[in-house]
Structures are given as C-alpha cells and as structure tokens.
Amino acid sequence: MSSLQEYMSGFGNEFASEDSRCPGSLPEGQNNTQVCPYGLYAEQLSGSAFTCPRSTNKRSWLYRILPSVRHKPFTPMSCGDLTENWNEVEPDPNQLRWKPFNIPKSSEKKVDFISGLHTVCGAGDSKSRNGIAIHMYTCNTSMIDKCFQNADGDFLIVPQQGEILITTEFGKMMVEPNEICVIQQGMRFSVDVFRETRGYILEVFGAHFELPDLGPIWANGLANPRDFQTPVAWYEDRTVATGYTIVNKYQGKLFSCQQDFSPFNVVAWHGNYTPYKYNLENFMVINCVAFDHADPSIFTVLTAKSTRPGVAIADFVIFPPRWGVADHTFRPPYYHSKSELIHTSIDTKLHFMRLKSALCRC
C-alpha cells in the first residue's frame, strides 16, 4: 500500500504547517495571541526544559479546536504484557533470543496496537529518566476512537510485517516495513492497520534520538537529514458521543480517560518538536576497509545520547546490503563481549523478560 500522505523534509528543523481547509490559521509574529485565528486554542508541547540552550531546545506550538486538557480524570488500567519491572525474573548472562511473536487472528480475537504491546527487555526506568525498554507489537485491528500518549519517553517504531497508518496531532504518517518512525514523548497518536501486523519498538527515557556525529566521515554519509519526513497539519472536528479514550503511559503503568471529542483537532502548528519517519533505503552505508572490519557504530541511524560523552543510552543500527571488500583478514559475524549494539550508561544490567515462552536459549 503506497503512502498518499504529505510530508516536510528535514531532521530537527523548524517547521510550520496549517491545514489548507483553514488558511491563515497559523498566527503570524507571535505564538500566543490574545485571540487566535478561527477561535483556536494555543498550546505549547515541550520536549525539553524551557532553559535548555537554543541548539537543544525542543518545543512546538499547536493551535487546536479544543484544549487537550478537557477530559475526565485518568484512572489505572491493565498493563497486559507491558512492564518496566526488570526484577520479575532473575538476571541471566547467557545469550538469549526470542522467537517471532504470534499475531492473533482477527477472526479469533480483536487486538489493537495498545493491547498488542509486549515488553521483551530493558534497563533503567522512566522515573529516573535514564534507560531503555524494548517492546514488540502484534495487532490485527485499528484503534477506534482511542489514542495513545507516552509520558515516559520516545517510541522508535520499526514495522516488520504490515503497514501502519499513524495519526498524530501533527498529521498523518504511513509507515511500511523497511521504514521507521519516531513518536516523541507526550505526543498523542492512533494506529490503523490493514492486516495482521507486527513490529518492534525501542523506547528511550530521558533523551531524544539524534543523528550520530560523523567524525572522520566528515560532512556526508549514513542518514542524511533531508531524508527524514515530518507530516503536514491535518485535523478532524469530530464529536464522539460514546466517548473517546486516551491511554497514557506514565511511570511504566497505563491509565485511561474519556473525552467527547477527537484529540486530533490541531488545525495548525509550528516548531521543532515533531513526529517523523525515515526510509531505511536512503541510508548511505560506509563499509569498505583495507583489512579487519569497522565497528558496528558506523551503521548507526539514530542515537540517544547519555550524559557521559561518547556513550549512548541506545543506538539504532542497521546492516543493509553493502560492499564488504577487505584483504588479509577474517570477517567474523558481529559479536562483542559487551552489549555494543544496545548501550546503556547505567549500572543496571539488561534483564530479559520471558513472556509467554517468547524467548528461547540461543
């Protein structure tokens, strides 16, 4: 299924977008006018502290039909196979891997993106704002009058089987296998699927994904900023008499609340804190060496840096088709005695979660 959505290009750019149905809805000259065009409400979504340096300050202004806080109180709900408690199982230093998660048949059980989340492993926690979690999603049904909001961290979503149409407050993104998308902390989104669907999620706490420094590669190579795509503004002015459900992930637990309108009512927005997608075919891989082999860090698409220089909380690395030319060397598979492909700057060891016999001994 090809994508018909519109996008703006660039990574971390200052974007501005308004739905063509409401020309002039984006205020000019200031962010929070006394009266916004069309009677809209101005809200700021912050992805960093207000006092962060300009180069790292992340925020976007959204102009919506109704305020996002006009909902009933949040109440706890079942977390299913989603967890942040790494003490549920004993640490195991052995090599582990997991079998593909089974996707429920839609004829047997309806499972949407939220109910199909399964935690595989992780380290740290969202309360300390330091660490990661790795999840799988398996679903066969679109989210109907329901959206998800992660207050804990950023989701890097990697579809493995089936396309997903992600509706966000900023607009829509069609994400297919061999593409990735990032939904940053605090952004509400809903997932539509078209068949039985499965994929991976890398969640990071306390940091945002960045493009890695190129070092001696110099100016060009790996993932180019211009190939990242951000959706354009799209809104729906829709009342939901039966109730619209917002599911909030907060400190590793799930909560839900009800409101009587769609949260995707943002008519216009501007800023540099946005969701985005990337086609992995655009990755400019660098690999040829004279001898030995380069470390897997040269295949990094996105990195989430820690406070320790040179050490990442997590790196998203791919190994695409490439020339592998070398002389006088043995080229073994990439294996390191330390967890080089999943970095963590905290002392907590990586604990693998055995959920419903999903993991097996390597």
Side-chain angles (χ1 to χ4, degrees):
M1 181 176 297
S2 61
S3 173
L4 300 176
Q5 272 58 54
E6 296 182 47
Y7 303 97
M8 296 176 286
S9 298
F11 185 88
N13 291 2
E14 287 285 340
F15 296 102
S17 182
E18 63 181 22
D19 194 305
S20 59
R21 291 171 289 176
C22 295
S25 53
L26 193 63
E28 295 184 6
Q30 65 182 106
N31 296 319
N32 195 3
T33 62
Q34 188 176 38
V35 178
C36 291
Y38 298 94
L40 300 174
Y41 292 84
E43 293 184 354
Q44 182 175 209
L45 177 62
S46 297
S48 65
F50 298 133
T51 53
C52 277
R54 184 183 294 266
S55 61
T56 58
N57 204 298
K58 294 182 178 293
R59 80 288 172 268
S60 287
W61 281 88
L62 288 68
Y63 303 91
R64 57 198 322 148
I65 297 171
L66 290 173
S68 61
V69 294
R70 213 187 85 170
H71 57 74
K72 296 179 180 180
F74 281 99
T75 57
M77 59 178 290
S78 172
C79 295
D81 290 331
L82 195 67
T83 185
E84 200 178 283
N85 182 5
W86 316 125
N87 296 320
E88 292 179 355
V89 296
E90 292 298 319
D92 189 343
N94 293 299
Q95 301 169 44
L96 300 170
R97 66 181 180 182
W98 60 87
K99 296 177 180 179
F101 280 56
N102 292 325
I103 308 174
K105 299 291 184 182
S106 58
S107 58
E108 299 173 357
K109 182 181 180 181
K110 301 292 185 182
V111 179
D112 64 17
F113 178 84
I114 298 175
S115 57
L117 289 172
H118 308 266
T119 301
V120 177
C121 60
D125 61 65
S126 58
K127 297 177 184 177
S128 65
R129 310 301 300 140
N130 192 14
I132 67 170
I134 297 176
H135 316 283
M136 294 285 299
Y137 67 88
T138 57
C139 52
N140 54 39
T141 302
S142 298
M143 294 168 61
I144 306 299
D145 291 337
K146 181 192 296 185
C147 73
F148 188 77
Q149 181 182 28
N150 187 0
D152 290 339
D154 290 7
F155 268 0
L156 189 157
I157 302 174
V158 187
Q160 181 267 323
Q161 177 179 323
E163 310 90 342
I164 54 177
L165 176 61
I166 301 180
T167 301
T168 76
E169 295 166 289
F170 296 79
K172 295 188 175 188
M173 298 186 296
M174 179 71 78
V175 188
E176 305 175 0
N178 210 41
E179 292 183 324
I180 62 171
C181 74
V182 173
I183 309 295
Q184 304 197 73
Q185 181 180 354
M187 298 177 180
R188 294 176 177 176
F189 67 98
S190 182
V191 177
D192 287 342
V193 300
F194 308 96
R195 57 185 63 86
E196 294 167 0
T197 306
R198 179 173 56 207
Y200 304 89
I201 300 175
L202 169 59
E203 181 181 16
V204 295
F205 311 128
H208 297 297
F209 288 102
E210 305 175 31
L211 293 175
D213 295 328
L214 295 180
I217 300 175
W218 289 22
N220 303 294
L222 309 186
N224 292 313
R226 68 180 182 185
D227 293 325
F228 288 81
Q229 297 179 307
T230 294
V232 300
W234 177 88
Y235 78 93
E236 60 179 4
D237 186 6
R238 184 166 64 92
T239 300
V240 185
T242 55
Y244 195 104
T245 302
I246 297 176
V247 177
N248 191 323
K249 180 175 175 291
Y250 178 69
Q251 295 189 2
K253 304 294 184 180
L254 295 184
F255 301 83
S256 66
C257 71
Q258 296 288 313
Q259 61 186 42
D260 60 1
F261 61 94
S262 168
F264 305 119
N265 60 359
V266 177
V267 178
W269 62 268
H270 77 89
N272 64 353
Y273 190 56
T274 69
Y276 54 88
K277 61 175 280 189
Y278 176 73
N279 190 326
L280 298 177
E281 291 184 357
N282 294 323
F283 187 78
M284 207 285 277
V285 67
I286 297 173
N287 190 58
C288 290
V289 294
F291 54 87
D292 291 335
H293 72 276
D295 290 326
S297 54
I298 67 166
F299 305 119
T300 301
V301 181
L302 292 170
T303 183
K305 295 180 180 178
S306 72
T307 56
R308 181 180 169 190
V311 178
I313 294 175
D315 287 332
F316 178 71
V317 178
I318 64 172
F319 299 97
R322 61 199 180 275
W323 288 102
V325 181
D327 183 42
H328 190 60
T329 188
F330 169 62
R331 301 185 65 83
Y334 288 104
Y335 179 80
H336 298 255
S337 60
K338 293 183 179 180
S339 182
E340 295 294 340
L341 299 186
I342 304 178
H343 299 290
T344 177
S345 62
I346 58 181
D347 294 331
T348 306
K349 293 183 179 180
L350 195 64
H351 298 280
F352 287 81
M353 311 302 298
R354 300 188 187 91
L355 296 176
K356 297 181 179 179
S357 302
L359 304 183
C360 66
R361 192 60 57 85
C362 189

